[in-house]
Amino acid sequence: MPQLPAPDYPADVRVRLEADAKEVIARYPGSRSALLPLLHLVQSEEGHVSRTGMRFCAEMLDLTTAEVTAVATFYTMYRRKPSGDYQVGVCTNTLCAVMGGDAIFDELKRHLGVGNDETTPDGKVTLEHIECNAACDFAPVVMVNWEFFDNQTPESAKRLVDDLREGRPVEPTRGAPLCTYKETARILAGFPDERPGAVAASGGAGPASLVGLRLARGETPQARVVHPRGEGPHAEGPHAEGPHAEGPRGEGPRDEPQPGSQHLSSHDAPQQTSASDPAHPAGPVDEEGE
C-alpha cells in the first residue's frame, strides 16, 4: 500500500536543522550538490536516514523524495533503519578474509548474538561486514564509526565490542578519538570536530602504507614486505632467509636485509592467529613492527 507522507520534525528540531542545512548549502554553487552532507546531517539527528529526514532534504534542496531516496539507498554509509551508537564494520574482502577477517566476523556474530546489519538489544553496537576498509596493509581490520582498529584477532575484537557496550574508553589504532555514530555523522556533514585535541590526533598514514612512497622517493628500501608462509626473517631450515640464501628459481643470492629493517604490518611475517587457517597461523601483532 502507498505510504502516507512522512511526518515532519518537531518545530524546534526543524528550526535547528534548517539553520545547519542552510550553512551547508551555502558552500556549493548548486544546491543539489549539498545532498550528501545533508543526508549525513539528518543521520546525525536520528542515527539513520528516516523518511522524515529524506523529506527534509528534498524540501531544503527543491528535489523530489524519489531523487533523495535514490541517493540515500545507493551509499552504504547511510543507514536506513535505527542503528547502534557504534557501527562495527569487519572487513571480509580478500586479504582481510585470508588474514582472519572471516573468523573475526563469525566470532562477533556469535559473541554479540546478532547477524549482519543487526543491532544488539542494548542499542550499543551494530555489526556489519564491509567489502573493504581500505587498510589492507594492516589486515585484518575492524572499523568502529569509521575509525581504524588494525591487526585484529577474534579475541581482541570481542574485547573491543565488550568495552564499547560497557562504556569503557576505547582508542583507535590510529586516527581521531572515537565518538558516537551520530557525532561522526555530524562531522561527515562538514561541521568541525570540537572535541579538544581531536583534529590534531587524526595524524596520517601508518608506516606500512608509506613503503611505496618511500621507494618512489628513492629512499632506502625496507626488507622484503611479505614473506612466504613459514619463511619469516628468523625461519630455520632449508628455506631460511639469510645473506646468502638463493633467490627464486636459482637466480642467485637474495639481497641482504637492510640494517634496522622491521616488519611493518600484520602480514609481513607469520604470526600466531588466524582461526580461518589454523594450519598456517598468520596475522596480527601486539605492536606495529613486532
Side-chain angles (χ1 to χ4, degrees), residues 109-182:
K109 286 193 292 184
R110 185 200 63 77
H111 183 67
L112 294 172
V114 298
N116 181 51
D117 200 26
E118 293 181 355
T119 302
T120 54
D122 58 10
K124 293 292 186 180
V125 170
T126 297
L127 179 67
E128 68 172 347
H129 78 83
I130 305 254
E131 282 302 314
C132 183
N133 276 329
C136 303
D137 39 357
F138 295 99
V141 175
V142 174
M143 293 192 87
V144 180
N145 296 348
W146 313 114
E147 299 294 348
F148 286 106
F149 291 80
D150 303 318
N151 299 327
Q152 293 293 298
T153 66
E155 291 304 315
S156 67
K158 286 193 292 185
R159 290 194 298 271
L160 170 62
V161 296
D162 286 346
D163 287 343
L164 293 173
R165 297 182 73 183
E166 295 297 327
R168 291 188 286 265
V170 171
E171 292 293 332
T173 308
R174 50 204 164 94
L178 197 62
C179 58
T180 67
Y181 190 63
K182 288 182 179 181

Side-chain angles (χ1 to χ4, degrees), residues 77-124:
M77 288 181 72
Y78 300 122
R79 309 293 301 169
R80 296 298 311 284
K81 60 184 180 181
S83 299
D85 293 334
Y86 299 100
Q87 188 80 21
V88 177
V90 182
C91 183
T92 56
N93 212 331
T94 306
L95 184 56
C96 278
V98 169
M99 299 302 294
D102 284 343
I104 291 172
F105 187 58
D106 289 342
E107 186 65 17
L108 286 183
K109 286 193 292 184
R110 185 200 63 77
H111 183 67
L112 294 172
V114 298
N116 181 51
D117 200 26
E118 293 181 355
T119 302
T120 54
D122 58 10
K124 293 292 186 180

Side-chain angles (χ1 to χ4, degrees), residues 194 240 245:
E194 298 179 349

Side-chain angles (χ1 to χ4, degrees), residues 217-249:
R217 289 175 173 173
E219 299 176 12
T220 302
Q222 297 289 328
R224 182 175 179 174
V225 174
V226 179
H227 297 275
R229 285 182 182 270
E231 295 186 20
H234 305 298
E236 297 179 358
H239 299 292
E241 298 272 14
H244 303 294
E246 287 191 354
R249 299 182 182 273

Side-chain angles (χ1 to χ4, degrees), residues 9 14 17-18 21 41-42 52-60:
Y9 286 117
R14 174 84 187 203
L17 287 179
E18 279 189 4
L41 176 64
V42 297
T52 296
M54 287 189 281
R55 171 187 167 181
F56 172 81
C57 292
E59 292 174 350
M60 294 300 300

